Amino acid sequence: MFPFFLENVALHKFAWQQHPLINNDFSASLAVDGRKSDLSQKGGQCVASQFSETAELGVDLKDVHSIHHIVIQYVQEKPVWGISIFFVN
């Protein structure tokens, strides 16, 4: 799709979420672990928050980066990509 290599600058960085669930099974670290083979609700690869009107997820990238796009994948039973957010300079 892209003629150049895109580095995942969030991979294995510190991540946090606004309303984490009480148990640690759906912690923010799952958003940056690179796994995306099982995005089902019980797959162990998705972040989940307690019910709230807002949900916020943050990642400390440790440096200033030029971001080309962000991909957000949501819980699903089929291996389909989620939302892509592209930035144009």
Side-chain angles (χ1 to χ4, degrees), residues 24-89:
N24 205 26
D25 294 343
F26 301 98
S27 71
S29 64
L30 295 173
V32 294
D33 68 0
R35 298 182 308 148
K36 54 185 181 258
S37 61
D38 186 352
L39 300 178
S40 67
Q41 202 168 22
K42 296 180 182 178
Q45 298 179 5
C46 293
V47 177
S49 295
Q50 292 184 26
F51 180 74
S52 176
E53 289 185 18
T54 62
E56 189 173 320
L57 176 74
V59 179
D60 183 355
L61 299 178
K62 302 283 186 197
D63 206 349
V64 175
H65 296 274
S66 176
I67 304 295
H68 181 271
H69 70 276
I70 297 171
V71 176
I72 300 171
Q73 296 174 283
Y74 48 88
V75 174
Q76 53 200 329
E77 296 305 319
K78 297 178 184 178
V80 179
W81 284 87
I83 301 167
S84 291
I85 303 171
F86 290 88
F87 296 91
V88 179
N89 292 333

